[in-house]
Amino acid sequence: MLPYHDGLEVLEHLRRLPAWQDVPVIMLTAKARETDVVRALELGADDYVTKPFQPEELLARLRRFMRRR
């Protein structure tokens, strides 16, 4: 967990900044509740990966975003 703000708060703040509106964001989190996933996607997350995760799956997701740019 982040020390002062959770990832959803950070995402919400970033998406308000014009320079960050088009930057892909993948949430990597221990929060696996459906409400957390839905909120992150509604706030502008491009993908959501829960812990524990498979490193190869995360790399595949990252490569997918790199191909789009």
Side-chain angles (χ1 to χ4, degrees):
M1 298 295 172
L2 296 173
Y4 301 105
H5 302 283
D6 69 20
L8 295 173
E9 292 171 328
V10 172
L11 175 63
E12 189 172 19
H13 176 74
L14 287 176
R15 287 304 191 211
R16 285 191 206 129
L17 302 173
W20 281 87
Q21 289 179 357
D22 294 326
V23 175
V25 173
I26 298 175
M27 302 291 290
L28 178 60
T29 178
K31 295 182 176 184
R33 294 183 318 181
E34 181 180 357
T35 56
D36 294 319
V37 176
V38 169
R39 178 131 192 267
L41 295 173
E42 288 177 345
L43 289 173
D46 296 284
D47 206 346
Y48 197 95
V49 178
T50 58
K51 297 177 188 177
F53 64 95
Q54 297 299 316
E56 286 301 317
E57 178 185 352
L58 180 59
L59 288 172
R61 291 170 186 268
L62 290 168
R63 284 190 293 268
R64 181 182 68 184
F65 285 112
M66 298 301 289
R67 283 192 303 265
R68 291 183 184 175
R69 303 287 170 211

